[in-house]
């Protein structure tokens, strides 16, 4: 049959058109992410309207700071930045040559499997070797690598330890030999659940030394969270400690691990360190065959352990983080590219020098602790401070006393902490000598200009530059940040992209705009290698928004007239509570497990101290709605959050409502819930299936919680 025109075979043309139209629809639908673009844009626009980026004050670095800085002035920044964008491979190869490679790479960047990028293909290296042995080779063996300040124990004395690079080599090598004695080898995964003590750094570095993938689980997570992470990664062992101190209390971590690994078939061993040798916590019971005391195993091995060669793209670690849907995802980081991101950001952003004592207050359980407590400072041969306890124990001056006692020179903390310091009062700061400080940093959430200015005046004595660093677990290291000897800063702005970062602010169609969504065009060395066991989810969550051309980090941003970037916060269903990422879907999944709950919607709302808090709106099943005691049920739901995620994920309030604001197609309009919670005029309600619902929710919200 030879058909040439529509008139000859209309049925064929029609069916072809339908097939093509349907296929196009399917493709477009696939590319359209689950979260609604318009709502997100509204949020950023609202931030812009509220004067988010209106701070006009500009703080250039002092001439004194510039004189000693590694990169000087904006011209210095522009020159390096231009090269990093025009010739990224040349730029990164030159930086990478400052590190130790056992075998050179054959290709700097392989984009053939985009968005799964490979850096320094064929290059052989080892991160622990670069952090320790390479520093000793440079003559830093007797230099202090880690200064540890423990929380004051019940006896009232804080434990202080100083560990040199040579001692670190011995500790890490012995630890690695213990891991080997448990038959753990290159490519295996282990989970680490420990307090902020030097042994946590030893454990991480020991894994890196022999190619074991570490999956650190923050010490505040519950047994169920540990279980899920161990199972997802098939971790063969868990490294933990009998417990750690916080605000004078001993927190029994091993007990939580016991609870977790009951349901972890892959976990053959629990390796237990003692917080105080010879004094195990009474509650720490050992299961024969599975549980092993670290100190007993350590006595049986030597402290010499050669570093295992890693191909640059071999997996270094997994770190679980929340997304807008489903369970937390295991973010994969490789070896060489991540190493370079950690090395260069510490070198340029903190301008680290030989005589610096660097203190990043983050827990190693989060990515900030990986890159800026363990790997980055050591790659630069710096001394790093680790503190076990809380900022308010035994008193509100704890951090300032630590800075004074140890002469910390670079201090890196979160806006949540800064807002708490402001609340506790300047007198705690004034009692201490902070003159050793020369540079301050902020990370984890947008910093409000008031907090920035307080930090600048009270902690930095109007002398120290502030680097407000935007980045995320997936990026491995800083992405948008001032370079301290170069960038004039504006309070509340993360300013300009780091070297090699090609950032843009886009609208829903991928067009550049002034207020929209942050997007990154080119790959950078520290970019994640994907989500463990779920390539599809990685592509969908990060690369589908603009047809695969840009990485979508999930943040809104405003670009001002000087090209400075102001991060407005998450535009997906992730909430940043005190700098901790929590997916609203995770909480909703917890609530639905309660038999009285029919449905819920969790949103993020402004919070004076935490930046954002969680607000939960819960609908009860009809059978329970009349009989349930709301106060008791709220308690039960909170306890469920503690048990399934961790106490830090508790909502500010649980409001029981008759219904949720839904469109006719059944989508919950979270924006209206935010308007109610933040006492704003309601946005457009005309698309709601039942506009009266909003008033009912508003009334319920106005009734004080019991
Ligand atoms: O929303 C951004 C916010 O924290 C998110 C990343 O969280 P996480 O992967 O846990 O890593 C935290 C430490 C880097 C980002 O998507 N965020 C982080 N730093 C900033 C920030 N928001 C504004 N300004 C920052 N400096």
């Amino acid at each position: 049959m030879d058909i040439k025109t529509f008139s000859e075979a209309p049925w064929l043309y029609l069916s072809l058109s339908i097939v093509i139209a349907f296929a196009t629809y399917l493709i477009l639908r696939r590319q359209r992410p689950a979260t609604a673009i318009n709502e997100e844009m509204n949020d950023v626009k609202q931030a812009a309207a509220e004067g988010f980026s209106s701070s006009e004050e500009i703080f250039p670095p002092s001439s004194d700071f510039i004189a000693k800085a590694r990169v000087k002035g904006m011209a210095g920044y522009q020159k390096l930045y231009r090269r990093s964008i025009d010739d990224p491979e040349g730029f990164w190869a030159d930086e990478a040559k400052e590190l130790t490679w056992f075998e050179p790479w054959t290709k700097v960047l392989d984009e053939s499997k985009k968005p799964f990028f490979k850096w320094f293909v064929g290059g052989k290296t080892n991160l622990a070797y670069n952090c320790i042995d390479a520093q000793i080779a440079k003559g830093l063996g007797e230099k202090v690598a880690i200064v540890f300040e423990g929380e004051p124990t019940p006896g009232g004395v804080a434990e202080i330890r100083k560990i040199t690079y040579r001692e670190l080599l011995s500790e890490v090598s012995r630890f690695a030999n213990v891991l080997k004695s448990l038959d753990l080898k290159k490519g295996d995964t282990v989970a680490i659940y420990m307090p902020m003590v030097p042994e946590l750094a030893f454990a991480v570095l020991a894994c890196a030394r022999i190619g074991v993938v570490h999956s650190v689980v923050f010490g505040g997570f519950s047994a169920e969270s540990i279980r899920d992470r161990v199972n997802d990664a098939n971790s063969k062992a868990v490294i933990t400690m009998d417990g750690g101190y916080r605000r004078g209390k001993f927190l029994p971590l091993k007990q939580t691990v016991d609870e977790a690994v009951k349901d972890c078939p892959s976990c053959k061993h629990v390796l237990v360190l003692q917080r105080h040798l010879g004094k195990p916590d009474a509650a720490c019971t050992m299961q024969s065959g599975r549980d092993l005391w670290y100190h007993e195993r350590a006595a049986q091995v030597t402290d010499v352990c050669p570093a295992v060669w890693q191909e640059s793209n071999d997996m270094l670690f997994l770190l679980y983080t929340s997304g807008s849907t489903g369970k937390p995802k295991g973010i994969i980081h490789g070896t060489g590219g991540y190493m370079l991101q950690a090395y260069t950001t510490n070198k340029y952003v903190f301008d680290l020098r030989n005589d610096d004592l660097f203190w990043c207050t983050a827990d190693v359980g989060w990515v900030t602790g990986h890159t800026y407590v363990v790997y980055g400072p050591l790659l630069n041969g710096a001394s790093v401070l680790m503190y076990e306890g809380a900022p308010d124990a035994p008193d509100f001056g704890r951090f300032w006393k630590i800075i004074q006692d140890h002469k910390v020179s670079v201090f890196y903390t979160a806006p949540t902490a800064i807002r708490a310091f402001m609340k506790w009062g300047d007198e705690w700061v004034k009692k201490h000598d902070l003159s050793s400080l020369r540079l301050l940093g902020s990370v984890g959430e947008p910093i409000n200009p008031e907090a920035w200015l307080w930090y600048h005046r009270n902690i930095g004595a109007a002398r120290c530059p502030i680097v407000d660093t935007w980045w995320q677990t997936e990026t491995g290291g800083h992405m948008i940040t001032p370079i301290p000897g170069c960038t004039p800063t504006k309070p509340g702005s993360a300013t300009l992209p780091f070297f090699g970062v090609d950032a843009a602010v886009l609208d829903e169609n991928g067009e550049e705009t002034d207020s929209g969504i942050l997007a990154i065009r080119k790959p950078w060395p520290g970019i994640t290698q994907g989500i463990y066991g779920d390539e599809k989810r990685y592509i969908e969550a990060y690369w589908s928004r603009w047809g695969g051309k840009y990485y979508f980090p999930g943040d809104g941003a405003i670009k001002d007239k000087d090209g400075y970037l102001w991060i407005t916060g998450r535009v997906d269903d992730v909430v940043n509570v005190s700098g901790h990422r929590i997916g609203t879907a995770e909480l909703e999944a917890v609530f639905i497990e309660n038999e009285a709950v029919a449905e819920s919607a969790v949103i993020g709302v402004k919070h004076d101290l935490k930046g954002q808090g969680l607000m939960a709106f819960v609908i009860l099943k009809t059978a329970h709605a009349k009989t349930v005691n709301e106060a008791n049920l709220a308690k039960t739901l909170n306890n469920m959050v503690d048990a399934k995620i961790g106490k830090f994920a508790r909502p500010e309030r649980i409001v029981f409502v008759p219904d949720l604001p839904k469109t006719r197609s059944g989508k919950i309009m979270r924006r209206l819930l935010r308007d109610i919670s933040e006492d704003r005029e309601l946005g457009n309600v005309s698309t709601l299936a039942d506009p009266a619902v909003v008033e009912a929710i508003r009334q319920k919200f106005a009734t004080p919680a019991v």
Side-chain angles (χ1 to χ4, degrees):
M1 192 166 58
D2 187 13
I3 301 166
K4 292 197 182 66
T5 64
F6 178 78
S7 54
E8 281 172 274
W11 49 271
L12 183 60
Y13 273 80
L14 273 176
S15 20
L16 263 176
S17 319
I18 290 168
V19 168
I20 291 167
F22 189 57
T24 315
Y25 163 75
L26 281 182
I27 291 167
L28 287 177
R29 218 177 76 121
R30 255 184 75 80
Q31 285 181 353
R32 202 186 148 83
T35 41
I37 288 176
N38 288 336
E39 275 203 12
E40 296 161 7
M41 286 299 181
N42 286 342
D43 285 346
V44 184
K45 294 249 149 53
Q46 186 180 320
E50 284 171 4
F52 200 91
S53 58
S54 65
S55 173
E56 285 301 326
E57 266 182 296
I58 296 187
F59 295 80
S62 68
S63 48
D64 197 34
F65 193 96
I66 298 176
K68 295 185 196 133
R70 185 174 267 119
V71 192
K72 299 181 201 303
M74 276 310 269
Y77 163 77
Q78 294 293 5
K79 192 168 161 225
L80 282 174
Y81 182 72
R82 268 285 41 100
R83 172 156 191 242
S84 74
I85 296 297
D86 295 343
D87 173 23
E89 297 196 25
F91 177 86
W92 289 117
D94 282 351
E95 292 291 333
K97 282 179 202 148
E98 293 178 10
L99 297 162
T100 304
W101 297 81
F102 306 130
E103 264 183 25
W105 56 85
T106 52
K107 195 169 173 40
V108 175
L109 172 63
D110 176 0
E111 299 195 62
S112 60
K113 299 220 167 54
K114 186 182 173 184
F116 300 93
F117 301 99
K118 284 190 167 27
W119 283 91
F120 305 105
V121 182
K124 301 277 165 48
T125 186
N126 181 286
L127 215 83
Y129 184 96
N130 270 284
C131 286
I132 312 170
D133 312 52
Q135 307 307 334
I136 296 175
K138 283 183 210 154
L140 299 181
E142 308 322 315
K143 178 175 174 172
V144 172
I146 300 177
V147 177
F148 172 63
E149 171 103 18
E151 159 131 327
T153 53
V157 192
E159 181 191 350
I160 294 172
R161 286 158 69 190
K162 291 189 176 165
I163 299 143
T164 64
Y165 274 92
R166 202 175 300 286
E167 287 162 346
L168 185 61
L169 177 64
S170 158
E171 295 280 6
V172 169
S173 302
R174 192 179 291 280
F175 209 123
N177 281 336
V178 169
L179 298 181
K180 285 205 279 193
S181 80
L182 301 182
D183 204 25
L184 292 163
K185 50 190 178 312
K186 185 173 152 81
D188 291 340
T189 301
V190 303
I192 303 178
Y193 187 71
M194 280 174 67
M196 271 292 283
V197 292
E199 284 71 14
L200 171 53
F202 303 163
V204 163
L205 290 161
C207 289
R209 193 163 188 86
I210 55 170
V212 165
V213 176
H214 55 78
S215 164
V216 183
V217 183
F218 168 59
F221 275 114
S222 66
E224 283 197 33
S225 295
I226 305 173
R227 184 199 63 196
D228 290 349
R229 285 158 173 73
V230 168
N231 286 341
D232 187 77
N234 265 313
S235 291
K236 292 206 166 151
V238 179
I239 303 172
T240 188
M241 212 168 213
D242 51 352
Y245 290 99
R246 198 157 170 94
R247 297 198 177 89
K249 260 177 56 192
F250 191 79
L251 302 178
L253 296 181
K254 164 70 165 55
Q255 271 182 355
T256 312
V257 172
D258 287 341
E259 186 61 31
V261 297
K262 278 196 299 210
D263 303 312
C264 298
S266 64
C267 175
K268 300 289 174 257
H269 291 295
V270 177
L271 185 62
V272 190
L273 288 101
Q274 271 180 15
R275 176 70 181 84
H276 290 291
L277 277 185
K279 273 201 308 182
D281 177 57
C284 183
T285 53
M286 302 292 278
Q287 182 179 311
S288 137
R290 187 195 69 186
D291 300 352
L292 306 158
W293 282 114
Y294 174 80
H295 60 275
E296 288 175 6
R297 307 291 298 191
Q300 293 163 24
V301 296
T302 72
D303 68 349
V304 178
C305 173
V308 170
W309 288 20
Q310 295 280 92
E311 199 277 336
S312 174
N313 296 283
D314 283 344
M315 212 196 287
L316 173 71
F317 69 83
L318 276 176
L319 190 57
Y320 284 79
T321 191
S322 295
S324 48
T325 53
K327 287 204 176 259
K329 45 202 174 184
I331 298 298
I332 308 172
H333 278 290
T335 303
Y338 170 80
M339 170 164 79
L340 196 59
Q341 196 83 29
Y343 171 66
T344 51
T345 50
N346 272 273
K347 176 175 119 179
Y348 288 118
V349 178
F350 296 124
D351 199 23
L352 282 186
R353 305 212 214 100
N354 214 9
D355 55 353
D356 270 321
L357 176 59
F358 178 64
W359 183 18
C360 161
T361 64
D363 193 290
V364 174
W366 307 110
V367 73
T368 310
H370 282 57
T371 311
Y372 300 105
V373 176
V374 183
Y375 289 121
L378 299 178
L379 283 169
N380 281 276
S383 302
V384 66
L385 189 132
M386 282 179 88
Y387 170 53
E388 177 183 21
D392 55 354
D395 61 40
F396 293 143
R398 184 70 175 125
F399 273 19
W400 320 128
K401 182 162 183 337
I402 292 176
I403 292 177
Q404 169 183 285
D405 289 355
H406 296 286
K407 301 201 169 21
V408 171
S409 55
V410 183
F411 179 62
Y412 188 36
T413 196
T416 296
I418 298 169
R419 288 189 290 264
F421 302 145
M422 289 168 76
K423 192 177 125 202
W424 296 337
D426 300 358
E427 64 271 23
W428 293 102
V429 182
K430 291 202 182 102
K431 276 194 225 162
H432 299 90
D433 173 9
L434 304 184
S435 58
S436 57
L437 289 172
R438 64 177 193 86
L439 178 60
L440 303 175
S442 171
V443 61
E445 44 175 323
I447 180 166
N448 46 314
E450 304 74 47
W452 195 103
L453 288 167
W454 184 89
Y455 198 30
H456 171 72
R457 291 183 190 130
N458 293 277
I459 309 303
R463 165 178 54 81
C464 306
I466 296 179
V467 287
D468 171 11
T469 58
W470 175 89
W471 61 294
Q472 34 179 216
T473 307
E474 296 85 337
T475 71
H478 301 152
M479 297 290 282
I480 314 262
T481 172
I483 302 295
C486 310
T487 323
T489 48
K490 301 185 190 183
S493 169
T495 74
L496 299 167
F498 183 66
F499 305 129
V501 176
D502 190 359
V505 178
L506 302 181
D507 66 14
E508 58 261 50
N509 303 316
E511 300 295 329
E512 298 226 13
T513 170
D514 289 343
S515 47
I517 297 171
L518 187 64
I520 318 284
R521 225 170 331 230
K522 281 192 168 59
W524 60 97
I527 189 172
T528 174
Q529 294 184 333
I531 298 174
Y532 189 71
D534 203 343
E535 290 196 349
K536 200 166 144 248
R537 185 172 174 196
Y538 176 60
I539 296 169
E540 272 167 12
Y542 301 92
W543 291 93
S544 64
R545 173 154 299 226
W546 296 289
K549 286 204 202 100
Y550 296 85
Y551 169 85
F552 164 66
D555 281 280
I558 296 170
K559 196 180 212 174
D560 72 14
K561 59 181 189 326
D562 301 318
Y564 275 39
L565 294 162
W566 300 70
I567 312 296
T568 58
R570 301 290 305 195
V571 292
D572 51 5
D573 293 325
V574 171
V575 182
N576 198 327
V577 182
S578 304
H580 299 162
R581 249 164 95 166
I582 301 168
T584 53
E586 286 170 62
L587 261 88
E588 290 163 11
V590 171
F591 296 149
I592 203 73
E593 282 187 34
N594 187 291
E595 57 159 10
V597 173
E599 198 181 353
S600 71
V602 176
I603 55 160
V605 292
K606 283 198 190 111
H607 189 287
D608 284 349
L609 272 183
K610 301 177 184 174
Q612 276 191 298
L614 294 155
M615 190 68 71
F617 294 86
V618 174
I619 312 181
L620 297 175
K621 287 185 188 148
T622 322
H624 295 265
K626 291 232 158 59
T627 53
V628 109
N629 175 315
E630 290 186 358
N632 286 346
L633 182 58
K635 267 193 208 123
T636 308
L637 295 178
N638 274 325
N639 290 338
M640 287 171 74
V641 173
D642 295 354
K644 289 181 184 292
I645 306 178
K647 274 201 166 60
F648 66 91
R650 271 192 182 202
E652 300 303 313
R653 202 178 141 190
I654 299 176
V655 190
F656 295 96
V657 291
D659 206 346
L660 291 168
K662 288 186 184 160
T663 59
R664 277 172 217 107
S665 59
K667 200 181 103 45
I668 299 172
M669 289 192 70
R670 286 159 198 277
R671 180 154 188 84
L672 294 174
L673 294 174
R674 276 200 291 274
D675 288 342
I676 294 174
S677 309
E678 291 173 356
D679 198 19
R680 258 194 315 266
E681 223 169 87
L682 289 187
N684 186 356
V685 293
S686 63
T687 51
L688 285 183
D690 175 9
V693 165
V694 183
E695 197 39 48
I697 299 174
R698 199 201 269 289
Q699 274 178 21
K700 198 67 204 285
F701 189 83
T703 322
V706 218

